[in-house]
Amino acid sequence: RRCSDCGTNQTPEWRTNPRNGFPLCNACGIYLRTRGQHRPMNLLVGPPLLHTAPEGYLGLHCSYCRVMETPTWRRHPETRQLLCNACG
């Protein structure tokens, strides 16, 4: 199992994303439930799994069109890159 947000395969408890049914680690699941959004890249521990954000960049953005706001964030099924609703 691998978290659909941060990519970890180790967590004390697995959760499910209510929007798409994908698995989430405990940290990403709690963040999504309490804040209604995915954990920002700067809160993820360890090496980047999707892409390297520019220096000083603190928010999420679509890997294709660079939009920073979308009703739903998605992941590319093969590369796991972060995508906005329109590009996903």
Side-chain angles (χ1 to χ4, degrees):
R1 231 181 199 191
R2 189 165 292 281
C3 177
S4 61
D5 278 359
C6 71
T8 189
N9 60 2
Q10 296 178 344
T11 182
E13 184 175 342
W14 286 103
R15 299 178 182 271
T16 301
N17 185 327
R19 298 175 185 164
N20 58 25
F22 292 142
L24 295 172
C25 69
N26 194 49
C28 289
I30 290 173
Y31 195 97
L32 180 63
R33 186 183 73 222
T34 58
R35 293 179 175 89
Q37 60 187 16
H38 296 278
R39 275 197 321 165
M41 295 296 286
N42 64 316
L43 293 181
L44 301 180
V45 177
L49 296 171
L50 303 174
H51 62 278
T52 302
E55 185 175 327
Y57 184 74
L58 299 178
L60 297 174
H61 68 274
C62 176
S63 296
Y64 289 164
C65 71
R66 302 286 185 206
V67 71
M68 294 173 64
E69 293 184 36
T70 181
T72 304
W73 289 105
R74 303 179 185 277
R75 301 251 182 216
H76 188 282
E78 295 173 4
T79 65
R80 306 304 296 155
Q81 288 178 304
L82 189 63
L83 303 173
C84 69
N85 191 48
C87 291

